[in-house]
Amino acid sequence: MKLAIIGTGHVGLVSAVCFAEMGYEVTGIDSDSKKIEGLKKGIIPIYEEGLKELLDKNKQKLKFTTSIPEGIQEADIIFICVGTPPKTSGDADLSIIEDVVTQIASSMKSYKIIVEKSTVPVQTGKRVKQLMEMKLKGKVEFDIASNPEFLREAKAIYDSLHPDRIVIGVESERAKNLFIELYKPINAPLVITNIESAELIKHASNSFLAMKISFINAVSTVCELSGADIRKVAEGIGLDKRIGKDFLNAGIGFGGFCFPKDLKAFRRIASKLGYEFGLLEEVEKINEEMKIGFVDKIENALWNLKDKTIGILGLAFKPGTEDMRYAPSIDIISALQESGAKIRAYDPEAMEEAKGVLKDITYCKDAYDVAKDSDCLCIVTEWDEFKNMDLKKIKDLLRSPIIIDGRNIFEKEKIEKLGFKYKGIGIKQ
Ligand code: UDX
Protein backbone atom coordinates (compact mmCIF):
# COMPACT_ATOMS: atom_id res chain seq x y z
CA MET A 1 0.00 0.00 0.00
CA LYS A 2 1.31 3.45 -0.89
CA LEU A 3 0.53 6.59 1.04
CA ALA A 4 0.69 10.34 0.49
CA ILE A 5 0.81 12.80 3.38
CA ILE A 6 -0.03 16.41 2.61
CA GLY A 7 1.48 18.78 5.15
CA THR A 8 4.79 17.95 6.82
CA GLY A 9 4.25 19.77 10.11
CA HIS A 10 4.27 17.95 13.44
CA VAL A 11 1.40 15.57 12.68
CA GLY A 12 2.23 15.07 8.99
CA LEU A 13 5.94 14.47 9.31
CA VAL A 14 5.65 12.18 12.31
CA SER A 15 2.85 10.23 10.58
CA ALA A 16 4.89 9.94 7.37
CA VAL A 17 7.93 8.61 9.18
CA CYS A 18 5.88 6.23 11.35
CA PHE A 19 3.97 4.84 8.35
CA ALA A 20 7.35 4.25 6.67
CA GLU A 21 8.50 2.46 9.83
CA MET A 22 5.35 0.29 9.54
CA GLY A 23 6.59 -0.74 6.08
CA TYR A 24 4.73 1.56 3.69
CA GLU A 25 6.08 3.71 0.89
CA VAL A 26 5.21 7.27 1.78
CA THR A 27 5.37 10.54 -0.12
CA GLY A 28 5.43 13.66 2.04
CA ILE A 29 4.07 16.75 0.32
CA ASP A 30 4.41 20.36 1.46
CA SER A 31 4.10 23.72 -0.29
CA ASP A 32 7.15 24.98 1.65
CA SER A 33 10.00 24.25 -0.77
CA LYS A 34 12.69 25.05 1.80
CA LYS A 35 11.24 22.46 4.16
CA ILE A 36 11.01 19.86 1.39
CA GLU A 37 14.59 20.50 0.22
CA GLY A 38 15.72 20.09 3.82
CA LEU A 39 13.75 16.88 4.31
CA LYS A 40 15.27 15.40 1.16
CA LYS A 41 18.65 15.91 2.84
CA GLY A 42 17.39 14.49 6.13
CA ILE A 43 17.02 17.88 7.86
CA ILE A 44 14.13 17.89 10.34
CA PRO A 45 12.40 21.28 10.73
CA ILE A 46 11.03 20.55 14.23
CA TYR A 47 12.42 19.29 17.52
CA GLU A 48 10.95 15.85 18.19
CA GLU A 49 12.92 13.18 19.97
CA GLY A 50 13.77 10.17 17.80
CA LEU A 51 12.31 11.61 14.59
CA LYS A 52 15.61 12.20 12.82
CA GLU A 53 16.82 8.66 13.59
CA LEU A 54 13.58 7.11 12.33
CA LEU A 55 13.63 9.25 9.18
CA ASP A 56 17.21 8.20 8.44
CA LYS A 57 16.36 4.54 9.10
CA ASN A 58 13.43 4.64 6.65
CA LYS A 59 14.79 7.00 4.02
CA GLN A 60 14.41 4.40 1.24
CA LYS A 61 10.66 4.32 1.83
CA LEU A 62 10.21 8.11 2.05
CA LYS A 63 9.94 10.61 -0.78
CA PHE A 64 9.32 14.35 -0.50
CA THR A 65 7.84 16.78 -3.02
CA THR A 66 6.13 20.17 -3.21
CA SER A 67 3.68 18.97 -5.86
CA ILE A 68 0.29 17.54 -4.90
CA PRO A 69 -0.50 16.27 -8.46
CA GLU A 70 2.85 14.47 -8.56
CA GLY A 71 2.86 13.23 -4.96
CA ILE A 72 -0.61 11.69 -4.84
CA GLN A 73 -0.80 9.73 -8.10
CA GLU A 74 0.49 6.40 -6.83
CA ALA A 75 -1.05 6.67 -3.38
CA ASP A 76 -3.94 4.48 -2.23
CA ILE A 77 -4.60 6.72 0.75
CA ILE A 78 -4.01 10.48 0.98
CA PHE A 79 -3.75 11.94 4.48
CA ILE A 80 -4.44 15.65 4.84
CA CYS A 81 -2.28 16.94 7.69
CA VAL A 82 -2.26 20.66 6.96
CA GLY A 83 -2.79 23.37 9.57
CA THR A 84 -6.25 24.39 10.76
CA PRO A 85 -5.30 27.57 12.64
CA PRO A 86 -7.84 29.60 14.61
CA LYS A 87 -9.56 32.61 13.07
CA THR A 88 -10.17 35.63 15.29
CA SER A 89 -13.70 34.29 15.83
CA GLY A 90 -12.27 31.05 17.26
CA ASP A 91 -13.51 29.03 14.26
CA ALA A 92 -10.98 26.70 12.66
CA ASP A 93 -9.66 28.19 9.44
CA LEU A 94 -10.22 25.44 6.87
CA SER A 95 -9.04 27.37 3.83
CA ILE A 96 -5.83 25.35 3.46
CA ILE A 97 -7.89 22.14 3.52
CA GLU A 98 -10.14 23.56 0.79
CA ASP A 99 -7.13 24.44 -1.32
CA VAL A 100 -5.54 21.02 -0.88
CA VAL A 101 -8.78 19.14 -1.65
CA THR A 102 -9.28 21.23 -4.80
CA GLN A 103 -5.79 20.28 -5.95
CA ILE A 104 -6.40 16.61 -5.19
CA ALA A 105 -9.69 16.61 -7.09
CA SER A 106 -8.25 18.33 -10.13
CA SER A 107 -5.34 15.94 -10.49
CA MET A 108 -6.58 12.56 -9.18
CA LYS A 109 -6.70 9.79 -11.82
CA SER A 110 -7.59 6.64 -9.84
CA TYR A 111 -9.50 5.58 -6.69
CA LYS A 112 -8.13 6.93 -3.44
CA ILE A 113 -9.26 7.52 0.12
CA ILE A 114 -8.93 11.14 1.13
CA VAL A 115 -8.43 11.26 4.86
CA GLU A 116 -8.71 14.14 7.30
CA LYS A 117 -5.96 13.65 9.86
CA SER A 118 -5.70 17.28 10.92
CA THR A 119 -8.10 18.28 13.67
CA VAL A 120 -11.26 19.56 11.99
CA PRO A 121 -14.72 20.49 13.23
CA VAL A 122 -17.47 17.93 12.91
CA GLN A 123 -19.08 17.91 9.44
CA THR A 124 -15.89 18.97 7.65
CA GLY A 125 -15.90 15.56 5.91
CA LYS A 126 -19.25 16.40 4.38
CA ARG A 127 -17.82 19.62 2.92
CA VAL A 128 -14.72 17.83 1.66
CA LYS A 129 -16.93 15.28 -0.11
CA GLN A 130 -19.05 18.02 -1.76
CA LEU A 131 -15.92 19.83 -2.90
CA MET A 132 -14.42 16.63 -4.32
CA GLU A 133 -17.62 15.92 -6.28
CA MET A 134 -17.67 19.47 -7.60
CA LYS A 135 -14.01 19.64 -8.66
CA LEU A 136 -13.29 16.08 -9.83
CA LYS A 137 -12.28 15.89 -13.46
CA GLY A 138 -13.78 12.78 -15.07
CA LYS A 139 -15.34 9.76 -13.41
CA VAL A 140 -12.94 8.78 -10.66
CA GLU A 141 -14.10 6.93 -7.55
CA PHE A 142 -13.05 8.11 -4.10
CA ASP A 143 -13.85 7.78 -0.41
CA ILE A 144 -13.63 10.36 2.34
CA ALA A 145 -12.51 9.31 5.81
CA SER A 146 -11.56 10.76 9.16
CA ASN A 147 -8.62 9.30 11.05
CA PRO A 148 -7.66 11.79 13.75
CA GLU A 149 -4.20 11.76 15.28
CA PHE A 150 -3.79 11.90 19.06
CA LEU A 151 -0.03 12.32 19.28
CA ARG A 152 1.54 14.56 21.88
CA GLU A 153 4.49 16.72 20.94
CA ALA A 154 7.71 15.35 22.47
CA LYS A 155 6.15 11.86 22.64
CA ALA A 156 4.92 11.88 19.07
CA ILE A 157 6.73 8.79 17.76
CA TYR A 158 5.76 6.67 20.73
CA ASP A 159 2.14 7.84 20.57
CA SER A 160 1.92 7.13 16.84
CA LEU A 161 3.33 3.62 17.07
CA HIS A 162 1.65 2.73 20.38
CA PRO A 163 -1.69 4.54 20.36
CA ASP A 164 -4.37 3.88 22.99
CA ARG A 165 -6.82 3.55 20.12
CA ILE A 166 -7.13 4.16 16.39
CA VAL A 167 -10.24 6.07 15.35
CA ILE A 168 -11.52 5.53 11.83
CA GLY A 169 -14.53 7.31 10.36
CA VAL A 170 -15.62 5.81 7.04
CA GLU A 171 -18.65 5.54 4.77
CA SER A 172 -17.85 2.42 2.72
CA GLU A 173 -16.72 -1.17 3.25
CA ARG A 174 -13.92 -0.60 0.74
CA ALA A 175 -12.43 2.24 2.79
CA LYS A 176 -12.98 0.38 6.06
CA ASN A 177 -11.09 -2.69 4.79
CA LEU A 178 -8.19 -0.62 3.50
CA PHE A 179 -7.84 1.01 6.92
CA ILE A 180 -7.96 -2.35 8.71
CA GLU A 181 -5.16 -3.52 6.41
CA LEU A 182 -3.20 -0.28 6.92
CA TYR A 183 -3.17 -0.50 10.70
CA LYS A 184 -2.46 -4.27 10.92
CA PRO A 185 1.11 -3.65 12.16
CA ILE A 186 -0.20 -1.63 15.14
CA ASN A 187 -1.56 -3.35 18.22
CA ALA A 188 -4.41 -1.08 19.32
CA PRO A 189 -8.19 -1.21 19.46
CA LEU A 190 -9.89 0.15 16.34
CA VAL A 191 -12.90 2.39 16.79
CA ILE A 192 -14.66 2.23 13.44
CA THR A 193 -17.53 4.64 13.04
CA ASN A 194 -19.03 7.26 10.73
CA ILE A 195 -17.08 10.35 9.72
CA GLU A 196 -18.96 12.78 12.00
CA SER A 197 -18.31 10.65 15.09
CA ALA A 198 -14.60 10.31 14.28
CA GLU A 199 -14.30 14.07 13.81
CA LEU A 200 -16.10 14.69 17.08
CA ILE A 201 -13.98 12.19 19.03
CA LYS A 202 -10.91 14.33 18.37
CA HIS A 203 -12.40 17.63 19.52
CA ALA A 204 -14.11 15.98 22.48
CA SER A 205 -10.90 14.19 23.57
CA ASN A 206 -8.79 17.33 23.56
CA SER A 207 -11.53 19.32 25.27
CA PHE A 208 -11.96 16.67 27.94
CA LEU A 209 -8.23 16.65 28.69
CA ALA A 210 -8.19 20.45 28.86
CA MET A 211 -11.20 20.28 31.18
CA LYS A 212 -9.35 17.83 33.43
CA ILE A 213 -6.44 20.28 33.70
CA SER A 214 -8.71 23.23 34.43
CA PHE A 215 -10.62 21.16 36.98
CA ILE A 216 -7.49 20.29 38.93
CA ASN A 217 -6.28 23.88 38.61
CA ALA A 218 -9.57 25.15 40.07
CA VAL A 219 -9.24 22.62 42.90
CA SER A 220 -5.66 23.86 43.44
CA THR A 221 -7.04 27.32 44.16
CA VAL A 222 -9.37 25.87 46.79
CA CYS A 223 -6.38 23.98 48.21
CA GLU A 224 -4.45 27.22 48.67
CA LEU A 225 -7.43 28.84 50.35
CA SER A 226 -8.05 25.90 52.68
CA GLY A 227 -4.61 24.56 53.57
CA ALA A 228 -4.95 21.34 51.53
CA ASP A 229 -2.12 20.14 49.27
CA ILE A 230 -3.06 19.69 45.59
CA ARG A 231 -0.42 17.01 45.00
CA LYS A 232 -2.00 14.74 47.62
CA VAL A 233 -5.51 15.71 46.53
CA ALA A 234 -4.67 14.86 42.90
CA GLU A 235 -3.14 11.55 43.98
CA GLY A 236 -6.22 10.74 46.01
CA ILE A 237 -8.57 11.59 43.17
CA GLY A 238 -6.47 10.00 40.44
CA LEU A 239 -6.23 6.60 42.08
CA ASP A 240 -9.92 6.17 41.36
CA LYS A 241 -9.73 4.23 38.09
CA ARG A 242 -12.82 5.99 36.79
CA ILE A 243 -10.94 9.31 37.01
CA GLY A 244 -7.36 8.22 36.30
CA LYS A 245 -4.17 9.92 37.44
CA ASP A 246 -3.08 11.47 34.13
CA PHE A 247 -3.60 15.15 33.40
CA LEU A 248 -4.07 16.03 37.03
CA ASN A 249 -0.90 18.10 37.41
CA ALA A 250 -1.91 21.52 38.64
CA GLY A 251 0.10 24.42 37.27
CA ILE A 252 -0.02 27.62 35.29
CA GLY A 253 -2.35 26.09 32.71
CA PHE A 254 -2.25 24.43 29.35
CA GLY A 255 -0.83 25.87 26.16
CA GLY A 256 0.36 24.53 22.82
CA PHE A 257 -1.23 24.57 19.43
CA CYS A 258 -3.96 22.04 20.19
CA PHE A 259 -5.87 22.54 23.43
CA PRO A 260 -6.46 26.33 23.24
CA LYS A 261 -7.50 26.31 19.58
CA ASP A 262 -9.47 23.07 19.70
CA LEU A 263 -11.47 24.23 22.72
CA LYS A 264 -12.45 27.39 20.87
CA ALA A 265 -13.20 25.58 17.63
CA PHE A 266 -15.30 22.96 19.44
CA ARG A 267 -17.31 25.66 21.20
CA ARG A 268 -17.83 27.49 17.90
CA ILE A 269 -19.02 24.46 15.95
CA ALA A 270 -21.31 23.41 18.82
CA SER A 271 -22.76 26.91 18.87
CA LYS A 272 -23.28 26.91 15.09
CA LEU A 273 -25.09 23.59 15.43
CA GLY A 274 -27.32 25.13 18.12
CA TYR A 275 -25.67 24.20 21.44
CA GLU A 276 -23.88 26.69 23.70
CA PHE A 277 -21.06 24.67 25.34
CA GLY A 278 -20.70 26.90 28.41
CA LEU A 279 -18.61 24.29 30.25
CA LEU A 280 -15.78 24.79 27.75
CA GLU A 281 -15.93 28.56 28.20
CA GLU A 282 -15.32 28.01 31.90
CA VAL A 283 -12.38 25.69 31.11
CA GLU A 284 -10.76 28.50 29.12
CA LYS A 285 -11.53 31.07 31.82
CA ILE A 286 -9.88 28.97 34.54
CA ASN A 287 -6.86 28.50 32.29
CA GLU A 288 -6.48 32.27 31.89
CA GLU A 289 -6.93 32.81 35.63
CA MET A 290 -4.03 30.46 36.41
CA LYS A 291 -1.61 32.71 34.53
CA ILE A 292 -2.94 35.84 36.22
CA GLY A 293 -2.74 34.07 39.60
CA PHE A 294 0.90 33.18 38.93
CA VAL A 295 1.80 36.81 38.22
CA ASP A 296 -0.05 37.78 41.42
CA LYS A 297 2.06 35.27 43.36
CA ILE A 298 5.25 36.85 42.01
CA GLU A 299 4.00 40.31 42.88
CA ASN A 300 3.04 39.15 46.32
CA ALA A 301 6.50 37.76 46.95
CA LEU A 302 8.34 40.86 45.67
CA TRP A 303 5.85 43.58 46.63
CA ASN A 304 6.41 45.97 43.68
CA LEU A 305 7.27 44.58 40.28
CA LYS A 306 8.54 47.84 38.81
CA ASP A 307 12.29 47.60 38.10
CA LYS A 308 12.52 44.16 39.69
CA THR A 309 14.33 41.46 37.71
CA ILE A 310 12.39 38.24 37.31
CA GLY A 311 14.22 35.06 36.35
CA ILE A 312 12.14 32.77 34.15
CA LEU A 313 13.05 29.11 33.73
CA GLY A 314 11.30 27.54 30.76
CA LEU A 315 9.54 29.21 27.85
CA ALA A 316 8.17 26.35 25.70
CA PHE A 317 4.55 25.37 26.37
CA LYS A 318 5.79 22.09 27.85
CA PRO A 319 9.09 20.22 28.19
CA GLY A 320 10.55 18.24 25.29
CA THR A 321 9.61 20.76 22.61
CA GLU A 322 10.73 24.09 21.20
CA ASP A 323 7.10 24.99 20.53
CA MET A 324 6.11 28.43 21.82
CA ARG A 325 2.59 28.50 20.39
CA TYR A 326 0.13 29.60 23.10
CA ALA A 327 2.84 29.00 25.69
CA PRO A 328 1.76 30.31 29.13
CA SER A 329 5.19 31.99 29.32
CA ILE A 330 4.06 34.55 26.72
CA ASP A 331 1.15 35.93 28.76
CA ILE A 332 3.04 35.70 32.03
CA ILE A 333 6.11 37.54 30.76
CA SER A 334 4.00 40.17 28.99
CA ALA A 335 2.07 40.86 32.21
CA LEU A 336 5.30 41.14 34.19
CA GLN A 337 6.78 43.51 31.62
CA GLU A 338 3.63 45.63 31.66
CA SER A 339 4.15 46.05 35.40
CA GLY A 340 7.66 47.33 34.77
CA ALA A 341 9.65 44.18 35.57
CA LYS A 342 12.78 43.17 33.70
CA ILE A 343 13.06 39.58 32.51
CA ARG A 344 15.99 37.18 32.40
CA ALA A 345 14.98 33.89 30.78
CA TYR A 346 16.28 30.54 29.59
CA ASP A 347 14.80 27.47 27.90
CA PRO A 348 16.81 24.41 26.85
CA GLU A 349 15.19 24.24 23.39
CA ALA A 350 12.86 27.16 22.75
CA MET A 351 15.30 30.11 22.78
CA GLU A 352 15.23 30.76 19.04
CA GLU A 353 11.43 30.40 18.82
CA ALA A 354 11.01 32.63 21.88
CA LYS A 355 13.14 35.42 20.43
CA GLY A 356 10.57 35.73 17.64
CA VAL A 357 7.70 36.28 20.11
CA LEU A 358 9.12 37.73 23.31
CA LYS A 359 11.09 40.96 23.01
CA ASP A 360 13.10 43.04 25.50
CA ILE A 361 14.25 40.03 27.44
CA THR A 362 17.75 39.12 28.51
CA TYR A 363 18.14 35.63 27.10
CA CYS A 364 20.55 33.67 29.29
CA LYS A 365 22.80 30.70 28.67
CA ASP A 366 21.49 28.50 31.51
CA ALA A 367 19.52 28.49 34.75
CA TYR A 368 22.47 29.88 36.76
CA ASP A 369 22.86 32.75 34.34
CA VAL A 370 19.14 33.49 34.83
CA ALA A 371 19.46 33.43 38.62
CA LYS A 372 22.36 35.90 38.58
CA ASP A 373 21.01 39.27 39.78
CA SER A 374 17.36 38.15 39.60
CA ASP A 375 15.02 39.09 42.44
CA CYS A 376 13.28 35.73 42.22
CA LEU A 377 13.27 32.58 40.11
CA CYS A 378 10.07 31.35 38.41
CA ILE A 379 9.57 27.83 37.08
CA VAL A 380 7.38 28.09 34.00
CA THR A 381 8.23 24.87 32.11
CA GLU A 382 9.18 21.72 34.00
CA TRP A 383 12.33 20.67 32.11
CA ASP A 384 14.34 17.95 33.88
CA GLU A 385 17.47 20.12 33.95
CA PHE A 386 15.65 22.53 36.27
CA LYS A 387 14.65 19.71 38.60
CA ASN A 388 18.32 18.78 38.90
CA MET A 389 19.81 22.26 39.42
CA ASP A 390 22.40 22.93 42.11
CA LEU A 391 20.07 24.87 44.38
CA LYS A 392 22.85 26.05 46.71
CA LYS A 393 24.52 27.71 43.73
CA ILE A 394 21.18 29.17 42.61
CA LYS A 395 20.62 30.63 46.07
CA ASP A 396 24.01 32.34 46.08
CA LEU A 397 23.34 33.88 42.67
CA LEU A 398 19.84 35.24 43.38
CA ARG A 399 19.37 38.69 44.91
CA SER A 400 16.76 37.18 47.20
CA PRO A 401 16.20 33.45 47.68
CA ILE A 402 12.67 33.22 46.27
CA ILE A 403 11.32 30.47 44.02
CA ILE A 404 7.83 30.67 42.51
CA ASP A 405 7.14 27.25 41.06
CA GLY A 406 4.44 27.21 38.39
CA ARG A 407 4.79 23.47 37.82
CA ASN A 408 5.30 22.15 41.35
CA ILE A 409 8.66 20.56 40.48
CA PHE A 410 10.08 21.06 43.98
CA GLU A 411 9.07 19.88 47.44
CA LYS A 412 8.21 22.93 49.50
CA GLU A 413 9.66 21.46 52.72
CA LYS A 414 13.01 20.57 51.11
CA ILE A 415 13.34 23.92 49.36
CA GLU A 416 12.53 25.85 52.51
CA LYS A 417 15.14 23.87 54.43
CA LEU A 418 17.72 25.23 51.97
CA GLY A 419 16.69 28.74 52.97
CA PHE A 420 14.39 29.63 50.07
CA LYS A 421 11.02 31.29 50.28
CA TYR A 422 8.84 29.02 48.12
CA LYS A 423 5.43 29.32 46.49
CA GLY A 424 3.94 26.52 44.42
CA ILE A 425 0.51 25.94 42.92
CA GLY A 426 -2.20 24.58 45.21
CA ILE A 427 0.20 24.26 48.10
CA LYS A 428 -0.20 26.08 51.43
CA GLN A 429 1.34 29.52 50.78
C1 UDX B 1 -2.29 17.44 23.09
C2 UDX B 1 -2.97 16.07 23.29
O1 UDX B 1 -2.43 15.44 24.44
C3 UDX B 1 -2.79 15.21 22.05
O2 UDX B 1 -3.51 13.99 22.21
C4 UDX B 1 -3.33 15.95 20.84
O3 UDX B 1 -3.17 15.21 19.67
C5 UDX B 1 -2.63 17.31 20.71
O4 UDX B 1 -2.80 18.05 21.92
P1 UDX B 1 0.19 18.39 23.21
O5 UDX B 1 -0.42 19.73 22.91
O6 UDX B 1 1.41 17.96 22.49
O7 UDX B 1 -0.89 17.22 22.97
O8 UDX B 1 0.56 18.41 24.76
P2 UDX B 1 0.09 17.71 26.11
O9 UDX B 1 1.19 16.86 26.60
O10 UDX B 1 -1.23 17.11 26.01
O11 UDX B 1 0.00 19.00 27.06
C6 UDX B 1 -0.82 20.11 26.74
C7 UDX B 1 -0.70 21.21 27.76
O12 UDX B 1 -1.31 20.82 28.97
C8 UDX B 1 0.74 21.59 28.12
O13 UDX B 1 0.84 23.00 28.19
C9 UDX B 1 0.96 20.96 29.47
O14 UDX B 1 1.90 21.67 30.25
C10 UDX B 1 -0.43 21.06 30.07
N1 UDX B 1 -0.70 20.06 31.12
C11 UDX B 1 -0.75 18.74 30.79
C12 UDX B 1 -0.94 20.46 32.43
O15 UDX B 1 -0.91 21.66 32.73
N2 UDX B 1 -1.22 19.51 33.36
C13 UDX B 1 -1.28 18.19 33.08
O16 UDX B 1 -1.56 17.39 33.99
C14 UDX B 1 -1.04 17.79 31.75
Side-chain angles (χ1 to χ4, degrees), residues 252 255-256 310-319 321-334 343-358 361-364 370 378-383 386 407:
I252 48 177
I310 316 289
I312 301 281
L313 293 187
L315 296 165
F317 83 94
K318 67 172 190 177
T321 175
E322 85 290 28
D323 202 337
M324 284 294 296
R325 291 176 295 178
Y326 296 93
S329 64
I330 299 173
D331 290 340
I332 289 167
I333 289 175
S334 304
I343 307 291
R344 294 177 70 79
Y346 165 72
D347 187 284
E349 287 297 334
M351 297 291 264
E352 283 316 306
E353 298 282 324
K355 283 175 191 167
V357 221
L358 289 164
I361 286 182
T362 306
Y363 287 100
C364 300
V370 170
C378 302
I379 312 293
V380 170
T381 316
E382 66 275 35
W383 288 92
F386 303 149
R407 299 292 184 180

Side-chain angles (χ1 to χ4, degrees), residues 154-170:
K155 305 255 184 330
I157 306 265
Y158 180 86
D159 286 352
S160 295
L161 295 173
H162 307 89
D164 289 343
R165 77 304 205 187
I166 294 166
V167 174
I168 299 164
V170 278

Side-chain angles (χ1 to χ4, degrees), residues 32-88:
D32 183 340
S33 51
K34 218 170 121 200
K35 211 191 238 181
I36 290 296
E37 282 320 303
L39 284 167
K40 282 180 183 168
K41 293 182 201 134
I43 302 167
I44 302 277
I46 48 171
Y47 176 75
E48 183 64 54
E49 212 186 298
L51 187 57
K52 164 86 181 132
E53 291 76 8
L54 213 59
L55 179 114
D56 288 346
K57 183 180 164 208
N58 292 290
K59 61 177 184 246
Q60 304 300 342
K61 287 176 260 169
L62 283 158
K63 278 194 273 184
F64 294 98
T65 175
T66 52
S67 160
I68 290 181
E70 186 192 308
I72 63 160
Q73 282 327 324
E74 288 184 14
D76 302 287
I77 308 181
I78 304 169
F79 290 92
I80 302 178
C81 302
V82 296
T84 53
K87 296 194 215 170
T88 35

Side-chain angles (χ1 to χ4, degrees), residues 87-112:
K87 296 194 215 170
T88 35
S89 60
D91 287 309
D93 182 348
L94 302 175
S95 56
I96 314 177
I97 297 219
E98 182 179 349
D99 178 51
V100 161
V101 173
T102 306
Q103 290 192 58
I104 295 172
S106 352
S107 55
M108 203 172 98
K109 296 191 180 82
S110 58
Y111 171 83
K112 294 171 200 317

Side-chain angles (χ1 to χ4, degrees), residues 302 374-377 395 397-403 420:
L302 296 181
S374 283
D375 291 290
C376 74
L377 201 60
K395 190 170 164 248
L397 289 163
L398 280 168
R399 279 189 191 144
S400 17
I402 301 172
I403 292 183
F420 285 97

